[in-house]
């Protein structure tokens, strides 16, 4: 995963685009789906690998996992995959704020994604 992700970052950096990595969200470990806890742990592993790649490549990270993890019981639907309408609105707001900070940073501001 990390090797392939690193290769993708190299290609994208070559395009001149401003890159921001968005960490993947986990499944609600309290979900009735038996794979939910495993998916939550797997998301943590993928995000850790992605963080190493992004840090090495100097790509800022919008940590959607850290933002959603403590809220999953309230913002994720019981299908264990999708967010509720309120959850989608909340995560969209978080991501929009991070993107705006990244754009400010590109144009001379100091704050970047968290």
């Amino acid at each position: 995963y990390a090797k392939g992700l690193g290769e993708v970052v190299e290609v994208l950096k070559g395009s001149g685009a401003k890159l921001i990595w968005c960490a993947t969200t986990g499944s609600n470990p309290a979900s009735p789906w038996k794979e939910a806890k495993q998916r939550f742990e797997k998301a943590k592993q993928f995000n850790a690998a992605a963080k190493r790649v992004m840090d090495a490549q100097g790509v800022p990270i919008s940590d959607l996992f850290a933002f959603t993890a403590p809220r999953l019981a309230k913002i994720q639907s019981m299908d264990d995959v999708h967010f509720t309408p309120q959850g989608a609105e909340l995560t969209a707001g978080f991501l929009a704020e991070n993107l705006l900070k990244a754009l400010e940073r590109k144009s001379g501001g100091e704050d970047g994604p968290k």
Side-chain angles (χ1 to χ4, degrees), residues 17-40:
K18 172 85 173 157
L19 302 181
I20 303 169
W21 177 258
C22 182
T24 191
T25 59
S27 295
N28 183 353
S31 168
W33 293 85
K34 69 178 187 175
E35 296 89 6
K37 188 166 178 68
Q38 292 169 330
R39 288 183 188 167
F40 185 82

Side-chain angles (χ1 to χ4, degrees), residues 52-74:
R52 289 189 297 275
V53 171
M54 299 308 147
D55 287 350
Q57 294 280 353
V59 175
I61 298 170
S62 180
D63 197 348
L64 190 57
F65 181 90
F67 179 77
T68 59
R71 300 170 173 84
L72 284 176
K74 292 183 179 180

Side-chain angles (χ1 to χ4, degrees), residues 100-111:
L100 289 173
K101 285 181 181 178
L103 292 172
E104 287 174 12
R105 186 174 172 200
K106 183 177 182 180
S107 64
E110 295 181 20
D111 292 335

Side-chain angles (χ1 to χ4, degrees), residues 62-114:
S62 180
D63 197 348
L64 190 57
F65 181 90
F67 179 77
T68 59
R71 300 170 173 84
L72 284 176
K74 292 183 179 180
I75 66 172
Q76 195 173 54
S77 65
M78 293 316 294
D79 70 1
D80 190 40
V81 177
H82 301 96
F83 290 106
T84 64
Q86 298 82 8
E89 188 174 325
L90 191 66
T91 57
F94 172 81
L95 292 171
E97 181 180 322
N98 276 247
L99 290 173
L100 289 173
K101 285 181 181 178
L103 292 172
E104 287 174 12
R105 186 174 172 200
K106 183 177 182 180
S107 64
E110 295 181 20
D111 292 335
K114 302 263 186 255

